């Protein structure tokens, strides 16, 4: 059974003045976000980015035609269910369960309704030159693997989209390998050793969030949802032999110290804060 969204979620980055690489959004004030808030003058901008409208294999068809999608269900290999529960279908299109965004249609997102992603949060303790865990205000300091996105320049968790029919556990491992590790550049024997170590680490993770994400790409009809899982290297030995190297979708990659001063993409800072709480670490 799917979990319902818990608590009040931020709905800020998906109401920025301009859509990423696209038009200005219709302005949505804080007190007009929810669909049951009276907003008769609301006239959102229609926008589907050209790469999405070109109908690539990873995108849905335009549902203004004859295409019929099975929303709120498993539709072939595509999971169209939402962690928020049953979402409304209005005039044949799914409605964002959190509220208005100032943009209708799909924007940069391939799927109508929920677009599922997975975010692997790989952590270790920050250590001094003697190997002792660095302390701040009586608590250990954590570091996590972060990538710098090419599209926005913001630092983020190295996550990505769940492929059709793919198990989320595979997505987590695949995205981390593709975006943060130089494993593909290694000789075959060393590559196998790295994959073995990575498999050990990714065999045990702690789910810290599943649900809606306040993503700047969200629209009234398409939105991001994710499963965020923490994979913690307690001794630091697993990642000692891994070389971090940015993949094709990233400008840079590094270990970043976890603190409240971080500025991260979308809802990623919230996920990082949850990890710090889970590990009783400084934040």
């Amino acid at each position: 059974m799917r979990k319902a969204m818990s608590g009040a979620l931020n709905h800020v980055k998906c109401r920025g003045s301009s859509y990423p690489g696209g038009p200005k959004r219709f302005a949505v004030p804080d007190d007009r976000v929810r669909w049951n808030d009276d907003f008769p003058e609301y006239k959102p901008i229609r926008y589907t980015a050209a790469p999405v409208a070109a109908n690539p294999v990873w995108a849905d068809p335009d549902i203004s035609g004859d295409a019929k999608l099975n929303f709120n269900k498993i539709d072939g290999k595509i999971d169209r269910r939402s962690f928020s529960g049953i979402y409304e279908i209005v005039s044949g299109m799914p409605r964002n369960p959190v509220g208005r965004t100032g943009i209708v249609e799909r924007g940069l997102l391939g799927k109508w309704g929920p677009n599922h992603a997975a975010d692997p949060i790989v952590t270790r303790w920050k250590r001094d030159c003697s190997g002792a865990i660095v302390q701040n205000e009586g608590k250990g300091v954590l570091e996590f693997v972060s990538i710098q996105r090419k599209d926005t320049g913001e630092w983020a968790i190295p996550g990505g989209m769940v492929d059709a029919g793919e198990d989320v556990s595979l997505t987590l491992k695949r995205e981390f390998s593709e975006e943060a590790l130089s494993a593909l550049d290694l000789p075959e024997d060393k590559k196998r050793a790295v994959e073995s170590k990575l498999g050990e680490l990714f065999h045990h993770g702690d789910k810290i969030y599943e649900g809606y994400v306040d993503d700047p790409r969200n629209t009234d009809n398409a939105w991001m949802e994710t499963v965020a899982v923490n994979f913690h290297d307690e001794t630091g030995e697993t990642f000692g032999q891994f070389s971090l190297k940015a993949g094709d979708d990233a400008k840079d990659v590094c270990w970043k110290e976890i603190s409240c001063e971080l500025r991260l993409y979308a809802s990623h800072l919230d996920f990082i804060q949850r990890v710090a709480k889970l590990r009783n670490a400084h934040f």
Side-chain angles (χ1 to χ4, degrees), residues 126-146:
K126 183 176 183 179
R127 297 178 185 272
D128 60 24
C129 56
S130 69
I133 296 174
V134 173
Q135 302 286 313
N136 191 332
E137 298 180 335
K139 290 187 174 182
V141 175
L142 280 174
E143 296 178 318
F144 78 106
V145 175
S146 181

Side-chain angles (χ1 to χ4, degrees), residues 6 9 12 35-36 57 70 76-77 93 105 109 155 159 170 172 179 184-185 190 232 238 274 279:
S6 58
L9 292 170
V12 177
W35 293 109
N36 59 0
V57 294
N70 294 313
K77 289 186 176 181
M93 295 191 291
E105 298 186 358
L109 298 177
W155 288 91
L170 295 178
L172 290 161
E179 295 195 19
L184 297 180
D185 296 333
K190 290 187 178 180
H232 181 61
T238 299
R274 290 168 183 253
R279 304 294 170 194

Side-chain angles (χ1 to χ4, degrees), residues 57-68:
V57 294
W58 46 267
D60 283 336
D62 184 353
I63 56 177
S64 63
D66 296 329
K68 300 296 181 183

